[in-house]
Amino acid sequence: MGKKVKEDKKAPPEDVFDTILVESRQAATVVLMLNSPEEDVQSKACEAIYKFVNKCEENKKTLLDLNAIDPLLRLVQGEDKTVRRNACMALGVMCAHPDVRKLLRKRDDSIAAFVNLLQPEEDTVVHEFSALALSYLATEFSTKVSIFENNGIEPLVKCLSSTDPDVQKNAIEALAQMLLDYQTRGALREYDGLQPMLDLLKSEYAIIQKLSLLSLDRASQDAENRASLRELEAISHLIKFLAHPEWNDLHVMAVMVLSNLLEDVESLEQIKETGGLKRLVAIITDQPPVEEETKGGKADKKAGSRAGKKSAKGEAKKVIEEKDEQSPGGDSIIPTLPDVKMSAARAIARSARSVENRKILHEQEAEKMLIHLLSHESVDVQSAAAQALGIMCENLSSRDSIREWEGLAPLIRLLNSESGDVKESVTLALTNLTTANSTNCNEMMNLNGLDPLIQLLADSREEAVANTASVLTNLAQEEVLRIECLNRAVVSSLIDPLKTSNTNVQSKAALALAAFVCDADARTELRVSGGVEPLIVLLHSGNDEVRRNTSWAITVCGVDEPTATEICKLGGLEVLQQIQMSSTRRSPFADAALERLLDSNLSAKYALSGHLGSGNLIEDGFFDAGQLKAGTKFLSLEDFCKQEMNDKRPTLLINSKQEKVEVKESPPPPPSSEPDSETDSQQSPGHGNRRLSWKSILKKKPSPPPRQEDNEALKADSSKTSVSGKSSRTGRETKSRTKAQREREEKQKEEEIQAQLAKEAEAQAAEENKPFTTPADPALYKYMEDVMDKIQPLPTTRLQVVALAEYVAEKMGGPIAKGQVTNFSWELPLSQIKFELKSNVVPIGKIKAGIHVHRALLFKTLADRIAVGCSLTRGEYNRAWNEVMLPEEDEVAGGARYPPKPYIVDLIHEPGKLLPVNTPEAVSYQKL
């Protein structure tokens, strides 16, 4: 037997605890294990927590409630790499919960801990989850500042070049959040973070490409970043990206980055030189790319000489190969998505806001692409294209180019679109197209664009209505188009937009109305359609532009007297006076409207200002109602005529029109002299029977035939007499018959009386409903004839003035000695005339005894009819005077000396005497 060999087993040290395997199913137990001094236990606890929180959101909340955050945060900053990695994984996933982020923001060392984990010596997994944690935390603005202050941008930028796609994804996502802060945009440029972002566009993972485009979009909002991206040829990268149809879901974001880059003129110059804009247009319009070499080799050579031949042949071949690999051929064109087309149109619209950019885009024929997009089936694309065209049309050359490229027809066709956005954008484009371009305006009519435009004024889209009104304003500058629009009742169509609550619509509609009512027929249509009242309402608007355009419309409308009278009747005069007295609302347009209104309504002007110049010619219908206080409503002549007679100052009326006398046909003479003859009773009712009294009508009315009951009664009576053998009727039968007839006749008379009264009531009602007619003044008509026959033929104006003054004084009671005006009896005769007319309105020709105010008015009226220039000024206490401009007489040469001098015409004391202005005699004549 062999000798037994003892096994050499070392007993465990007495002070070391034996290894135990613990199986725990409670999260609280694992959280307690995080505080273990053993790194192996900490590592396994962190790994268990990572697996637990990855399951659901509730688990994150559970661990937060168990206070697991602080131990994990401590372990993240530990020395053991495995513990740091597992703790970072667990904490990074837990940061997805908002409550966890809230707690970490309160810990001062949390952001610095995650930033330190991004150091190059750390494991890739640590980079992944620390970047993930920062991407979650960067959603809050305060955390963005904290990351920036802890120098977190540079390590994040370095992570973009990692070979691990998860690290790239989390890092670019964190930077995308950080780029919402302007400080990060500058820091990104300093740490050369733009090139790695462009490189990520070639990533195999769509989420990385998307986040890269999002970051570029936000970074390119900074002007210096755009300059850096131009140096990195970012535009070419983006256009190549758009050439890949398999990435079409990201094309919108690429176009948004291009939109930012194209804001700068330098970017447009670059894309123009490289031909990138035409390639972009080809991609957006689904057309084959333009072959630059076939079109112009010379241009390529020049471009090459400017570039300085920097690239080597091998590099050029490599670029060509890449281009062939990445860009699809012309035969395999895949249409871009509508959203991409819409974004491209908006990008051009955004770039075209600059004058220099519009010029470059026009040179590159960007309008053709936009016109092409108008025919797309998507309303969003149509709207964006039309809006871009509208902005491009601010360039004068673009307006003609769009017409030459047949862009007007699709725009007019889209006026009938059901989309409000399309109609708004199209009308904006048409507004700019027709501004200061008569050829485009005429083309609008040739393409039958007037009818849909006018119909669009009733659309529910307010901005479209406002733009339509602007288009119509442009069209109204051409007389032919204005007449065509008026024939289509454009004035009536513009009234409803005036009643909207949108100030832009009100303003544009009022301006359009002002452009069309320069014709008399248009103003008549405006009055008949009730368009004056909305204009008066708009004068109360608090918007300056609305008041300004409305005042201009009233200035144009107030050219003729009927419209001016209607405006005054509706209170427009009072509103304009209030505006004139306001320090904040007053404007030159309101002043011009008030002046035009008063010039067209001289009665109101004289009542308000007390002065009529030599250019204000008094015509029939003028009346002097006395001085009107500020703010008092000016009444019309009809209102004054309807007032009951009172003891106030009479209203003096000027009306030389002869009253039209209706000649009525007289009835033919009766053939017989007998008044009750048969022919007289058969006279037709149209021959003056209305003048007869109801009694005479009853006398001439023939008796009606007997009724059926009476015939039967008569037959019964006759049968009775035949039976009895008596041929004669008894007295009682005769009395009973005459009594029945008498009752019928009385009843018939009552009916005729009622009918006659009804006729009289109808006649009275018709008289009340008759249109108002101005009271006639035959005496003034006779004055006019005398003046034109005797005074107008005089050789000089001076002689005409003197003769007219003498004539007026003669008709108004003759000369009055100085100091005797108060004794001159004129008030009683005037009151007698008022009583005779039963009215406060007195025609001037009926006054035979008048003083200053009456004579001056008559002198001005007659002088205006014979073209003798004179003014009329009202003074105080019934004083008024006329001022004329006459040249001095040269006694030596026998002619006149100019310039003329002003004179006051004496109509009271020495009729015909001319008083030089401002002399004591003239001042005495003007004052009491």
Side-chain angles (χ1 to χ4, degrees):
M1 290 180 66
K3 190 178 181 180
K4 282 187 178 180
V5 180
K6 293 183 179 180
E7 294 180 3
D8 189 13
K9 289 184 180 181
K10 291 184 179 180
E14 295 179 356
D15 58 344
V16 176
F17 198 85
D18 293 339
T19 303
I20 60 172
L21 297 176
V22 179
E23 292 185 6
S24 175
R25 298 185 181 277
Q26 296 294 326
T29 306
V30 179
V31 171
L32 291 174
M33 292 170 65
L34 293 174
N35 297 317
S36 171
E38 296 183 58
E39 294 173 349
D40 189 34
V41 174
Q42 294 171 349
S43 175
K44 290 182 178 179
C46 291
E47 186 178 358
I49 288 175
Y50 166 70
K51 294 177 181 179
F52 180 68
V53 295
N54 248 340
K55 293 180 180 179
C56 62
E57 289 293 316
E58 290 77 7
N59 293 352
K60 299 180 179 70
K61 177 64 174 171
T62 301
L63 288 173
L64 176 64
D65 295 338
L66 292 172
N67 299 320
I69 302 299
D70 289 329
L72 284 171
L73 189 60
R74 186 185 70 254
L75 294 178
V76 162
Q77 304 174 58
E79 294 181 358
D80 188 81
K81 286 188 176 183
T82 306
V83 174
R84 280 205 309 270
R85 183 191 64 191
N86 293 345
C88 182
M89 291 169 58
L91 200 55
V93 175
M94 288 185 68
C95 284
H97 199 283
D99 292 339
V100 175
R101 297 198 296 270
K102 185 177 180 181
L103 180 62
L104 286 174
R105 282 198 301 273
K106 295 178 181 180
R107 302 294 185 266
D108 296 334
D109 57 343
S110 61
I111 301 299
F114 285 119
V115 171
N116 290 332
L117 291 175
L118 293 174
Q119 298 304 320
E121 60 270 12
E122 293 290 344
D123 189 56
T124 303
V125 177
V126 175
H127 288 170
E128 175 188 346
F129 285 95
S130 58
L132 177 65
L134 289 175
S135 67
Y136 284 132
L137 290 167
T139 55
E140 297 291 334
F141 182 78
S142 59
T143 313
K144 290 182 177 68
V145 177
S146 182
I147 295 173
F148 181 82
E149 291 175 350
N150 284 279
N151 301 318
I153 305 300
E154 185 177 7
L156 283 172
V157 169
K158 291 180 179 178
C159 287
L160 295 178
S161 303
S162 173
T163 56
D164 191 311
D166 291 324
V167 176
Q168 294 176 342
K169 182 259 179 187
N170 293 337
I172 192 66
E173 186 173 6
L175 285 173
Q177 293 290 346
M178 291 293 297
L179 283 167
L180 291 173
D181 180 23
Y182 74 96
Q183 292 178 318
T184 306
R185 296 171 189 170
L188 182 69
R189 183 176 62 256
E190 293 174 6
Y191 296 128
D192 299 326
L194 295 173
Q195 182 63 55
M197 285 184 180
L198 289 173
D199 294 338
L200 289 179
L201 292 177
K202 303 173 185 177
S203 174
E204 299 176 2
Y205 300 95
I207 184 61
I208 296 178
Q209 293 175 318
K210 180 179 179 181
L211 291 170
S212 177
L213 288 170
L214 179 62
S215 300
L216 287 170
D217 179 35
R218 293 172 179 175
S220 59
Q221 294 175 12
D222 182 81
E224 295 182 7
N225 282 350
R226 290 198 295 270
S228 300
L229 287 169
R230 278 197 302 274
E231 295 175 1
L232 297 172
E233 298 182 353
I235 297 177
S236 300
H237 285 79
L238 291 167
I239 292 177
K240 289 177 183 177
F241 187 88
L242 289 172
H244 287 268
E246 65 271 17
W247 297 338
N248 56 8
D249 56 334
L250 299 175
H251 285 175
V252 173
M253 299 184 70
V255 173
M256 290 171 65
V257 180
L258 273 175
S259 175
N260 293 338
L261 295 174
L262 294 178
E263 279 191 29
D264 299 332
V265 181
E266 295 82 4
S267 298
L268 275 176
E269 289 286 355
Q270 185 185 59
I271 197 174
K272 173 185 173 183
E273 291 177 0
T274 58
L277 185 59
K278 291 187 176 180
R279 289 200 299 273
L280 174 64
V281 169
I283 293 170
I284 298 303
T285 54
D286 305 328
Q287 296 174 356
V290 179
E291 297 294 339
E292 298 290 340
E293 295 180 0
T294 58
K295 281 200 168 183
K298 295 181 181 179
D300 292 340
K301 288 180 182 178
K302 290 180 182 178
S305 63
R306 284 197 299 269
K309 300 181 180 179
K310 293 181 179 178
S311 58
K313 291 183 180 179
E315 189 177 349
K317 288 181 179 179
K318 185 179 179 182
V319 171
I320 292 171
E321 288 175 1
E322 287 180 3
K323 184 176 180 182
D324 292 339
E325 290 175 2
Q326 294 176 3
S327 302
D331 298 332
S332 59
I333 295 297
I334 299 178
T336 53
L337 296 175
D339 288 344
V340 180
K341 299 179 188 294
M342 177 185 67
S343 300
R346 288 179 177 174
I348 290 179
R350 184 177 176 184
S351 177
R353 292 173 183 171
S354 168
V355 177
E356 294 82 1
N357 290 357
R358 282 199 297 270
K359 185 178 178 182
I360 296 172
L361 288 170
H362 174 63
E363 291 173 358
Q364 295 296 303
E365 299 181 352
E367 298 94 333
K368 282 187 176 180
M369 181 195 84
L370 298 173
I371 293 172
H372 179 82
L373 294 181
L374 289 176
S375 303
H376 197 272
E377 58 184 7
S378 171
V379 292
D380 294 332
V381 176
Q382 294 171 353
S383 175
Q387 189 173 13
L389 277 174
I391 297 175
M392 285 293 297
C393 286
E394 294 183 19
N395 182 21
L396 296 177
S397 302
S398 296
R399 300 173 192 174
D400 296 326
S401 300
I402 291 172
R403 182 186 68 252
E404 293 167 2
W405 292 329
E406 299 180 354
L408 278 172
L411 285 171
I412 293 173
R413 186 171 60 252
L414 289 177
L415 288 174
N416 298 317
S417 172
E418 296 180 358
S419 170
D421 292 335
V422 172
K423 287 186 280 192
E424 181 179 343
S425 302
V426 168
T427 49
L428 174 63
L430 290 175
T431 300
N432 293 337
L433 272 169
T434 54
T435 300
N437 195 311
S438 58
T439 310
N440 283 349
C441 293
N442 290 315
E443 189 68 15
M444 284 278 297
M445 182 181 70
N446 297 335
L447 294 172
N448 302 320
L450 300 183
D451 289 327
L453 265 179
I454 295 174
Q455 292 171 6
L456 207 56
L457 289 172
D459 195 76
S460 58
R461 186 67 173 245
E462 292 181 335
E463 290 304 321
V465 175
N467 294 336
T468 303
S470 299
V471 179
L472 291 171
T473 304
N474 296 335
L475 297 180
Q477 309 307 314
E478 299 293 323
E479 185 176 359
V480 176
L481 298 179
R482 185 173 66 249
I483 294 173
E484 288 292 331
C485 291
L486 289 174
N487 293 337
R488 291 168 169 80
V490 67
V491 174
S492 303
S493 302
L494 282 168
I495 294 174
D496 284 338
L498 293 175
K499 301 176 182 178
T500 63
S501 58
N502 189 304
T503 54
N504 188 32
V505 177
Q506 294 171 348
S507 173
K508 296 293 191 295
L511 192 60
L513 202 61
F516 282 103
V517 294
C518 52
D519 296 333
D521 293 339
R523 291 192 292 271
T524 304
E525 182 182 353
L526 179 69
R527 291 197 308 273
V528 173
S529 303
V532 177
E533 188 173 359
L535 282 176
I536 306 302
V537 173
L538 290 184
L539 286 176
H540 295 279
S541 173
N543 185 280
D544 293 339
E545 187 179 359
V546 173
R547 287 199 311 274
R548 181 169 63 247
N549 291 346
T550 304
S551 299
W552 177 242
I554 289 178
T555 303
V556 180
C557 290
V559 172
D560 55 8
E561 187 177 351
T563 310
T565 305
E566 181 75 10
I567 294 171
C568 293
K569 185 177 179 181
L570 294 171
L573 191 62
E574 290 76 19
V575 179
L576 287 171
Q577 285 181 278
Q578 294 172 5
I579 294 175
Q580 192 180 41
M581 291 185 291
S582 172
S583 59
T584 57
R585 295 191 299 159
R586 183 174 182 177
S587 69
F589 288 89
D591 294 343
L594 181 60
E595 185 177 351
R596 176 60 61 84
L597 209 57
L598 294 178
D599 285 341
S600 299
N601 193 344
L602 295 182
S603 302
K605 182 175 183 178
Y606 190 51
L608 288 169
S609 64
H611 177 78
L612 295 180
S614 57
N616 301 133
L617 305 181
I618 293 179
E619 297 180 355
D620 293 330
F622 176 88
F623 60 94
D624 174 17
Q627 187 68 38
L628 190 66
K629 295 180 182 178
T632 308
K633 184 178 180 180
F634 180 76
L635 301 178
S636 64
L637 179 61
E638 183 177 357
D639 295 330
F640 281 112
C641 289
K642 289 180 179 179
Q643 287 180 351
E644 294 183 2
M645 189 180 64
N646 52 42
D647 57 351
K648 295 182 179 179
R649 176 192 184 282
T651 299
L652 306 180
L653 173 65
I654 304 297
N655 184 26
S656 61
K657 293 180 181 178
Q658 286 186 302
E659 187 177 10
K660 294 182 181 180
V661 181
E662 295 183 2
V663 181
K664 296 184 179 180
E665 295 182 4
S666 57
S672 175
S673 59
E674 296 179 5
D676 296 328
S677 65
E678 202 173 7
T679 56
D680 197 6
S681 65
Q682 294 175 355
Q683 189 179 10
S684 72
H687 290 173
N689 284 349
R690 280 177 289 183
R691 301 180 185 177
L692 300 176
S693 65
W694 63 271
K695 292 183 179 179
S696 60
I697 292 174
L698 291 180
K699 287 181 181 179
K700 296 183 180 180
K701 192 77 175 177
S703 59
R707 291 183 297 181
Q708 188 175 359
E709 303 96 25
D710 301 335
N711 291 335
E712 291 175 356
L714 290 173
K715 287 178 182 178
D717 293 340
S718 60
S719 62
K720 287 179 183 179
T721 52
S722 61
V723 170
S724 59
K726 296 180 180 178
S727 60
S728 63
R729 299 183 179 91
T730 61
R732 284 183 300 177
E733 291 172 354
T734 304
K735 287 180 182 178
S736 62
R737 189 184 71 238
T738 54
K739 184 178 180 182
Q741 288 179 353
R742 201 180 305 117
E743 289 177 356
R744 287 195 300 273
E745 288 176 1
E746 288 178 358
K747 189 175 182 180
Q748 186 176 359
K749 287 178 183 179
E750 291 178 2
E751 292 176 355
E752 291 176 354
I753 291 172
Q754 294 294 333
Q756 185 66 22
L757 293 175
K759 285 183 180 179
E760 291 178 359
E762 289 177 4
Q764 185 176 0
E767 187 72 21
E768 292 176 355
N769 294 331
K770 274 174 53 177
F772 173 74
T773 55
T774 308
D777 191 354
L780 181 60
Y781 179 77
K782 182 67 171 59
Y783 294 168
M784 298 282 185
E785 290 182 337
D786 292 345
V787 168
M788 297 179 74
D789 291 342
K790 299 175 183 178
I791 299 177
Q792 191 174 20
L794 294 177
T796 65
T797 305
R798 182 180 289 269
L799 292 176
Q800 289 176 334
V801 169
V802 172
L804 184 59
E806 293 174 350
Y807 181 84
V808 169
E810 178 188 349
K811 298 300 180 182
M812 285 285 182
I816 305 173
K818 292 185 179 180
Q820 297 300 316
V821 177
T822 55
N823 298 327
F824 182 73
S825 177
W826 62 274
E827 293 178 330
L828 182 59
L830 195 56
S831 299
Q832 290 175 343
I833 296 172
K834 286 173 60 178
F835 182 77
E836 176 188 343
L837 297 174
K838 298 292 188 294
S839 174
N840 290 321
V841 179
V842 176
I844 193 72
K846 289 187 174 292
I847 301 176
K848 305 304 178 186
I851 55 172
H852 300 73
V853 66
H854 312 108
R855 299 188 185 196
L857 177 59
L858 181 59
F859 182 87
K860 167 71 174 168
T861 303
L862 298 176
D864 289 344
R865 296 304 171 96
I866 60 173
V868 173
C870 77
S871 65
L872 172 63
T873 306
R874 188 202 311 279
E876 296 179 347
Y877 304 107
N878 285 322
R879 293 295 172 110
W881 58 89
N882 304 103
E883 184 177 313
V884 294
M885 299 291 292
L886 296 174
E888 291 187 67
E889 292 182 345
D890 194 340
E891 298 179 358
V892 179
R897 288 187 297 179
Y898 289 90
K901 293 185 177 180
Y903 295 93
I904 302 293
V905 182
D906 189 348
L907 301 173
I908 302 295
H909 309 302
E910 299 178 39
K913 185 176 181 179
L914 300 177
L915 312 175
V917 174
N918 295 329
T919 60
E921 195 173 6
V923 173
S924 175
Y925 182 83
Q926 294 171 336
K927 296 182 179 179
L928 186 62

